[in-house]
Amino acid sequence: MKYTQPQLPYANDALEPAISRRTVEFHYGKHEKTYIDNLNALIEGTEFEELPLEDIIRDSKGALFNNASQAWNHIFYFFSFSPDGGGEPEGELREAIDKQFGSFDNFKKEFVDAGVKLFGSGWVWLSRDNDGKLFITQGSNADNPLTQGLTPILTFDVWEHAYYLDYQNRRKDALEKLWDIIDWPIVEGRY
Ligand code: MN
């Protein structure tokens, strides 16, 4: 099975000013496409060819894990956004956030802080376990909470390629602007 890159449900300039057209073109159009192309080349003719991407992420190491996880992570990241996004989460996810982090504002602060403090390239995640307990985790490179038995709910990409064209060294500013474009109904559905 060949993986194909899903088309984004918004125009390349629709997330401005949080994420520029140029960053979407490079980050989704080129970086993400390369991970998918590499993944397809690595699984061709192997036992992984017919597996769901999530299974490849859980069962692989090295270059295959890196490209499979990066392919999955970027789709998950870009499909968390909407030009009509922002505001605050509602429903069961909101109740869990308030209960565990005290308030939505405090959750946002802890989440961005985890991204800012991650040294080098990686991802910050909000995930849940099988009991619905929430976790903020951070990890380097192609990190994915699926490998820890957690279900991902939200992620921020903290590789420099995610923000350098728009924010240069200002990672904290880049992450804080993402709250303006989060598609909360989509994210709530993952909880
Ligand atoms: Mn990226």
Side-chain angles (χ1 to χ4, degrees):
M1 180 173 70
K2 281 234 180 240
Y3 287 97
T4 52
Q5 187 173 23
Q7 194 176 349
L8 293 176
Y10 44 79
N12 285 348
D13 63 358
L15 303 180
E16 293 185 349
I19 303 177
S20 71
R21 172 185 59 79
R22 205 153 165 257
T23 289
V24 173
E25 286 172 0
F26 274 95
H27 194 191
Y28 195 72
K30 296 190 185 297
H31 286 277
E32 167 66 350
K33 182 176 185 305
T34 300
Y35 293 125
I36 291 178
D37 290 347
N38 290 344
L39 168 67
N40 283 327
L42 286 163
I43 62 174
E44 192 175 354
T46 75
E47 66 198 280
F48 294 101
E49 201 165 15
E50 301 302 325
L51 289 183
L53 193 45
E54 289 82 359
D55 289 354
I56 299 177
I57 291 167
R58 289 189 194 97
D59 296 343
S60 64
K61 289 194 169 84
L64 180 55
F65 169 77
N66 287 336
N67 284 283
S69 193
Q70 287 291 83
W72 192 97
N73 291 359
H74 283 91
I75 293 167
F76 194 80
Y77 173 74
F78 276 101
F79 279 77
S80 303
F81 301 136
S82 163
D84 305 316
E88 302 193 357
E90 296 173 3
E92 290 180 15
L93 175 61
R94 176 55 181 267
E95 286 173 27
I97 286 173
D98 287 345
K99 188 175 158 203
Q100 281 193 243
F101 301 101
S103 67
F104 178 57
D105 280 347
N106 192 55
F107 159 73
K108 287 198 292 185
K109 189 169 164 295
E110 287 191 28
F111 197 74
V112 167
D113 201 45
V116 169
K117 286 180 176 160
L118 197 161
F119 186 79
S121 297
W123 301 81
V124 56
W125 296 90
L126 177 69
S127 304
R128 66 163 171 81
D129 68 10
N130 291 336
D131 298 322
K133 188 178 177 202
L134 295 172
F135 297 86
I136 294 174
T137 60
Q138 50 170 204
S140 296
N141 302 322
D143 174 64
N144 189 312
L146 289 170
T147 63
Q148 299 155 260
L150 297 171
T151 300
I153 294 168
L154 180 68
T155 192
F156 285 180
D157 185 342
V158 299
W159 286 57
E160 280 188 346
H161 70 215
Y163 59 85
Y164 207 81
L165 290 175
D166 302 335
Y167 298 89
Q168 294 80 49
N169 60 313
R170 292 174 288 120
R171 183 190 285 186
K172 185 166 190 274
D173 292 350
L175 298 185
E176 284 177 341
K177 286 297 279 182
L178 295 179
W179 300 121
D180 295 343
I181 52 171
I182 300 294
D183 188 338
W184 284 111
I186 292 275
V187 174
E188 289 157 13
R190 296 166 176 165
Y191 182 75

